[in-house]
Each structure stands twice: as structure tokens, then as C-alpha cells.
Amino acid sequence: MSSLRGIRVAVIGGGLSGLVAARELSKHQADVHLVEARSRLGGRLWTLRDDSFSTEPVELGGEFIDQSHDAVRELAREFGLQLTRVIRGGFGLALEVNGRLRIHKTQKPIWQAFKRALQQDADAFEETGCDWTSSIASALARRSVDDLLRARRASAEVHAMAEALRGFFAADAIALSALVGIELSMEATDPGHVPVSRVKGGNDLLVNGLA
């Protein structure tokens, strides 16, 4: 990118994306004005520091840094921050099925059922080379995860797990594109056993570094 000297840019939102955008624009000499509606920076990343509640920082927002979050991991390295692996044994599920809460110590059985329910669609998508511009991808993208699971006669437990995905994608299964569900089903590891980390000392250290 060439010099942006003399260019005025407004960045709306002081979450990680907004802060990174403002930082990159500033590197190229743009005059950047960042606007944030809250009284704090960080957006969905929000670390509580309150010794009367906990002597350790508590994450109220985005908490886990997955192994695949390369950009966030690179930021941590740039700021000299240490990542600490957490939940090494994976985590289970608490699902409401037919009005009853069911606790599952591991996600693996339901995850395998989820994969089986979407197997034929995953195979069809894989045959295109996982091309998002293919006709198969276009057809899948127009359907929701909920709609496709119903069409494939998935179990109530699988539907409940799909609803729980809102924690990963910030969208209910009825609004989440089936293509996203298909790609997830093609992962080798269930979401409960993906290696995850936190920033040692609090995730807000990323925000402070950017700010």
C-alpha cells in the first residue's frame, strides 16, 4: 500500500478488527479517527479486572484463541504476549432436548452423529474442491443448518448441538448458512477438542497493545 498522507479515514468500532484497521492505516500515514460507542475498547473482547471478585482476570467476552486463529496469534507474538493452553481435555455439552437438560461429558458421540447427518452434502461439496463459487456451494448456502439437518432427519441431540453453535458463530441454526455447517462437519476434530488458548495475564493485553 502506498502512502496515505493527507487522507482522512474514520474507523467505526474499536474492537480488534477496528483497532487493527486503524493501526494499519496509521502505519501508512493516514489521519485516522476511530469511533467507539462504548466507554471501552475491545468490542467482544472484554476482560474484567476486579480484585474484589477475582485475583485473576476474568474474560466476559471473547475468551478462547483457537489453533487456527493465525492473525490473533501473530498479534500476540508481535506484542511479546504469552499464550497459555487451556481445557486440554476438551469440554462437553449441556443441551436442552425436548425440554430436559442433558449433560454430556464429551462431544464426540453427538459430533459423529452430526457428521453422519451431513456426510452426503459434505461429499458433494468436497467433490467441487470445496469451491464456494460452485453450484453445490450456492445451493447449500441458501439453506440453513437447521433446515438441512431436518431434511437429513438428524436426531434431537444433533439439532440441540447445532443450536449450541451460536456460541461459535453468533447465529442460531435457523439463520446460519448450511455451508458453514458443512465445512464444520468436515473438520477432523469436534469443537470441544480444538486446542484453545488465552493470553497469559488477560486477553485485553491484545487490545492495549493495539491501542
Side-chain angles (χ1 to χ4, degrees):
M1 183 186 294
S2 58
S3 173
L4 298 176
R5 184 186 297 275
I7 303 296
R8 300 177 64 191
V9 182
V11 175
I12 310 301
L16 284 187
S17 296
L19 288 169
V20 168
R23 182 169 179 256
E24 291 302 310
L25 289 164
S26 295
K27 284 181 179 178
H28 291 86
Q29 301 178 301
D31 179 10
V32 181
H33 186 76
L34 187 143
V35 180
E36 169 56 54
R38 298 181 178 92
S39 59
R40 62 175 180 83
L41 295 174
R44 292 181 64 193
L45 197 159
W46 184 12
T47 305
L48 173 69
R49 297 180 182 276
D50 184 349
D51 288 342
S52 65
F53 177 73
S54 171
T55 57
E56 295 294 325
V58 178
E59 304 299 341
L60 303 180
E63 183 170 13
F64 300 132
I65 300 170
D66 289 357
Q67 192 173 34
S68 62
H69 294 170
D70 295 332
V72 178
R73 288 175 175 272
E74 178 57 36
L75 277 177
R77 283 192 290 270
E78 186 176 343
F79 297 140
L81 302 175
Q82 181 179 341
L83 298 183
T84 302
R85 176 80 181 273
V86 295
I87 317 181
R88 293 178 179 273
F91 54 88
L93 288 171
L95 300 177
E96 184 178 345
V97 180
N98 298 324
R100 296 183 63 183
L101 184 65
R102 299 182 182 179
I103 306 298
H104 301 268
K105 293 183 178 181
T106 176
Q107 295 188 21
K108 287 183 179 179
I110 300 177
W111 171 251
Q112 292 300 325
F114 177 77
K115 289 174 67 73
R116 287 194 299 271
L118 300 180
Q119 188 66 59
Q120 68 182 74
D121 304 287
D123 290 345
F125 180 53
E126 191 170 26
E127 285 182 6
T128 72
C130 299
D131 181 2
W132 273 55
T133 66
S134 65
S135 58
I136 292 293
S138 179
L140 289 170
R142 288 194 294 267
R143 305 183 73 167
S144 70
V145 171
D146 180 78
D147 175 50
L148 190 58
L149 287 175
R150 291 184 186 281
R152 302 298 177 247
R153 300 181 182 278
S155 68
E157 286 79 8
V158 169
H159 276 281
M161 191 200 81
E163 286 299 329
L165 293 176
R166 70 169 65 91
F168 291 90
F169 299 107
D172 291 328
I174 198 170
L176 185 64
S177 169
L179 190 56
V180 175
I182 292 297
E183 286 197 321
L184 184 65
S185 76
M186 295 170 71
E187 296 287 340
T189 305
D190 67 89
H193 288 83
V194 172
V196 294
S197 304
R198 294 191 187 105
V199 174
K200 186 176 182 179
N203 288 351
D204 63 344
L205 295 179
L206 282 171
V207 177
N208 297 342
L210 287 166

